């Protein structure tokens, strides 16, 4: 990986910079420890970040949009679970104008009552739409099942949550979390002395404060079970299976990347070859290995015709059992090694590709260079026996939660979900 320079602005704000570009381009992102694990009320973090770009004490939201448009850029607040972020990309010539405006948005957000109520109305409408969408429902239900309705990675928003928030909550959360002592400045592009001075003049003025502490994570729910939401009018059924407990810093993580790829992580994977290509039961099926700052998840997702529900569930379990019982053949493992090696090489093509790894490392708190080395070692040297050992620890079907949403027939032993407008634990 390209090396990163690190220094601290006069107010204590850490800077991580990745340069080495010929073009005078610049991407600047402020990253605060102010995501879901740090919020005292549900939805507070994401609404604060969204509301922050809805105008400052000096300029309306439309004036801000017009200002950034004239310089060919947009101020964005990426949707991230563990942190709240504010970012823009620009060229050197425009940086002295747009970076101070970015700082103004962060320092002096209007947080007007009118904008707050408008966002709440928008969120309520979006929630009503989501509660009628099978794919969104399946995601909400599997995350809530795996982590629990009180866990930051498991709880979902409901209409009652928006009734609990007020304008003062937003102002207080911003004051306590959006400051130099609780964030990091990530800078990518061509960085010279003039740019460094501009960063100091602009972001060195942010106030200081103590680093925020995350809330204590509740215990994960047990034992795993099957949950089903029957929707008779749906032509398809969503299958979501998963478990928690795989953190990106765990020693098993690099090997799991290889195992997950064999299982369902690319077009040539076992789930794809068997269930889609050979049997034609579904157009899309995949496994996924998601990571967050304090935990992670490993699961399978498939969207199937109602009549194929039983067959697909059976074949998913069969493919897991094969990995538990039999080492992966060398020829198959070699294909996966080549695929993963090529994927990482493409990902690290250019400074902005390298910056993705550094950005992820800031958000999830890990050493990106060390992790990349561990990934390379696993990709190149992990043995079929080691993969089988991992499968026996992480692919045993009885350890997975499963959520089924759609018009497929009732699954024996499944807990039937009656309502989707309240947490599962309150049923």
């Amino acid at each position: 990986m390209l090396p990163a320079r690190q220094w601290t602005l006069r107010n204590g704000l850490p800077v991580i910079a990745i340069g080495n570009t010929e073009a005078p381009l610049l991407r600047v992102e402020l990253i605060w420890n102010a995501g879901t694990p740090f919020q005292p009320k549900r939805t507070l973090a994401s609404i604060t970040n969204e509301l922050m770009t809805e105008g400052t004490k000096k300029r309306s939201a439309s004036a801000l949009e017009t200002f950034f448009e004239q310089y060919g850029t947009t101020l964005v607040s990426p949707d991230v679970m563990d942190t709240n972020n504010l970012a823009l990309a620009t060229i050197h010539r425009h940086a002295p104008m747009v970076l101070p405006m970015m700082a103004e948005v962060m320092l002096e957000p209007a947080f007007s009552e009118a904008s707050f109520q408008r966002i709440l109305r928008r969120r309520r409408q979006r929630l009503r739409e989501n509660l009628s969408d099978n794919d969104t429902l399946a995601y909400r239900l599997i995350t809530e099942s795996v982590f629990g309705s009180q866990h930051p990675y498991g709880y979902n928003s409901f209409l009652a949550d928006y009734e609990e928030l007020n304008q003062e909550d937003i102002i207080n959360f911003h004051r306590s979390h959006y400051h130099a002592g609780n964030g990091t400045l990530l800078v990518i592009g061509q960085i010279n002395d003039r740019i460094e001075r501009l960063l100091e003049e602009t972001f060195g003025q942010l106030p200081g404060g103590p680093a925020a502490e995350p809330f204590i994570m509740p215990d994960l729910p047990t034992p795993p079970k099957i949950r089903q939401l029957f929707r008779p009018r749906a032509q398809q059924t969503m299958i979501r299976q998963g478990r928690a407990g795989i953190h990106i810093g765990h020693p098993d993580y690099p090997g799991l990347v290889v195992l997950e790829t064999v299982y369902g992580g690319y077009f040539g994977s076992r789930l794809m070859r068997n269930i889609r290509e050979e049997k034609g039961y579904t157009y899309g099926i995949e496994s996924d290995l998601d990571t967050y700052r304090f935990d992670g998840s490993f699961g399978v997702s498939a969207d199937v015709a109602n009549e194929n529900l039983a067959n697909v569930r059976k074949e998913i379990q069969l493919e897991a059992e094969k990995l538990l019982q039999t080492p992966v053949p060398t020829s198959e493992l070699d294909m996966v090694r080549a695929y993963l090696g090529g994927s990482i090489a493409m990902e690290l093509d250019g400074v902005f590709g390298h910056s993705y790894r550094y950005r992820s490392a800031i958000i999830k708190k890990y050493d990106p260079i060390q992790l990349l080395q561990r990934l390379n070692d696993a990709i190149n040297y992990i043995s079929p026996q080691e993969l089988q050992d991992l499968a026996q620890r992480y692919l045993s079907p009885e350890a997975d939660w499963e959520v089924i949403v759609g018009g497929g027939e009732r699954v024996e032993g499944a807990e039937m979900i009656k309502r989707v407008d309240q947490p599962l634990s309150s049923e």
Side-chain angles (χ1 to χ4, degrees):
M1 286 185 66
L2 291 174
R5 291 182 53 223
Q6 301 187 36
W7 70 92
T8 303
L9 301 183
R10 63 174 178 265
N11 57 357
L13 179 66
V15 181
I16 296 178
I18 305 99
N20 199 30
T21 61
E22 294 182 4
L25 302 175
L26 206 63
R27 187 180 188 278
V28 177
E29 185 166 6
L30 282 161
I31 302 172
W32 293 280
N33 296 317
T36 304
F38 297 89
Q39 63 185 11
K41 289 186 177 182
R42 297 187 185 203
T43 77
L44 178 57
S46 62
I47 289 180
T48 301
N49 219 41
E50 184 177 355
L51 190 59
M52 194 164 61
T53 58
E54 292 287 315
T56 71
K57 293 176 181 178
K58 300 174 183 175
R59 295 170 178 81
S60 65
S62 59
L64 277 178
E65 185 177 359
T66 300
F67 174 87
F68 287 113
E69 280 183 352
Q70 71 178 319
Y71 293 108
T73 190
T74 304
L75 191 64
V76 296
S77 50
D79 185 15
V80 182
M81 178 75 73
D82 289 299
T83 61
N84 272 352
N85 302 19
L86 192 65
L88 63 76
T90 188
I91 58 176
H92 276 208
R93 184 159 51 90
H94 295 160
M97 282 71 75
V98 299
L99 294 189
M101 186 61 70
M102 180 181 181
E104 180 181 315
V105 169
M106 184 269 158
L107 278 168
E108 303 180 73
F111 289 149
S112 70
E113 181 66 23
S115 294
F116 174 59
Q117 293 300 329
R118 183 171 59 252
I119 286 177
L120 289 185
R121 287 194 297 271
R122 194 160 62 214
R123 291 287 185 105
R124 292 187 185 103
Q125 179 58 35
R126 190 186 312 156
L127 176 59
R128 294 185 185 98
E129 294 170 358
N130 287 342
L131 293 180
S132 64
D133 178 71
N134 284 351
D135 194 34
T136 304
L137 279 173
Y139 174 79
R140 286 168 60 96
L141 292 171
I142 190 61
T143 53
E144 187 173 356
S145 295
V146 166
F147 290 105
S149 61
Q150 302 304 313
H151 195 287
Y153 300 148
Y155 61 61
N156 295 297
S157 60
F158 295 94
L159 290 175
D161 297 324
Y162 299 122
E163 302 301 324
E164 297 293 323
L165 291 180
N166 57 56
Q167 185 186 24
E168 195 64 27
D169 292 327
I170 304 294
I171 294 171
N172 290 337
F173 187 71
H174 177 267
R175 183 184 301 118
S176 60
H177 288 73
Y178 288 70
H179 54 72
N182 195 47
T184 301
L185 178 64
L186 177 64
V187 186
I188 306 109
Q190 190 184 96
I191 303 166
N192 53 31
D193 291 343
R194 186 172 67 87
I195 292 298
E196 289 187 26
R197 287 195 298 272
L198 180 60
L199 295 174
E200 182 67 67
E201 293 166 2
T202 304
F203 300 108
Q205 66 176 308
L206 303 182
E213 292 293 332
F215 288 87
I216 297 174
M217 303 293 169
D219 293 336
L220 299 177
T222 57
K225 63 180 70 173
I226 303 170
R227 284 171 163 161
Q228 186 169 8
L229 175 63
F230 181 60
R231 311 198 86 192
R233 295 183 181 180
Q235 299 300 308
Q236 284 195 307
T237 298
M238 314 297 170
I239 304 170
R240 302 291 184 266
Q241 299 176 354
R243 69 185 68 191
I246 298 91
H247 183 264
I248 196 167
H250 194 283
D252 287 343
Y253 175 76
L256 276 170
V257 171
V258 181
L259 177 64
E260 186 268 332
T261 306
V262 171
Y263 185 43
Y266 80 124
F267 194 78
S269 70
R270 293 191 175 192
L271 292 177
M272 287 289 281
R273 287 202 316 269
N274 176 2
I275 299 172
R276 171 183 159 151
E277 299 301 309
E278 295 174 10
K279 296 186 171 63
Y281 287 152
T282 177
Y283 181 76
I285 183 168
E286 62 182 2
S287 60
D288 56 82
L289 182 60
D290 289 336
T291 56
Y292 312 110
R293 180 178 293 191
F294 302 104
D295 211 323
S297 62
F298 187 20
V300 175
S301 61
D303 303 342
V304 305
N306 292 336
E307 62 270 22
N308 290 333
L309 173 60
N311 287 331
V312 172
R313 294 183 67 244
K314 177 182 176 182
E315 293 300 327
I316 291 173
Q317 183 168 349
L318 178 63
E319 291 302 333
E321 289 291 343
K322 287 179 181 177
L323 287 167
L324 291 172
Q325 302 299 328
T326 308
V328 177
T330 301
S331 58
E332 182 181 6
L333 183 52
D334 286 344
M335 286 193 297
V336 170
R337 294 190 206 276
Y339 168 78
L340 286 172
S343 296
I344 290 179
M346 290 180 61
E347 178 187 305
L348 298 178
D349 183 20
V351 63
F352 288 95
H354 286 258
S355 71
Y356 169 81
R357 284 281 178 183
Y358 281 103
R359 180 179 184 270
S360 173
I362 295 169
I363 293 170
K364 300 175 185 178
K365 293 292 185 185
Y366 65 87
D367 184 325
I369 297 176
Q370 183 184 83
L371 177 64
L372 186 61
Q373 182 59 58
R374 291 170 57 221
L375 281 171
N376 282 330
D377 289 344
I379 291 167
N380 291 316
Y381 304 116
I382 195 167
S383 69
Q385 184 59 56
E386 288 173 315
L387 280 180
Q388 186 179 5
D389 292 342
L390 285 172
Q392 291 170 353
R393 292 201 295 275
Y394 295 102
L395 280 184
S396 52
E398 64 273 11
D400 278 333
W401 287 85
E402 183 174 8
V403 165
I404 299 165
V405 178
E409 64 182 16
R410 177 165 181 166
V411 173
E412 184 178 356
E415 172 191 292
M416 301 304 291
I417 298 172
K418 303 177 184 66
R419 300 182 60 176
V420 295
D421 60 346
Q422 61 185 23
L424 290 173
S425 59
S426 66
E427 288 192 341

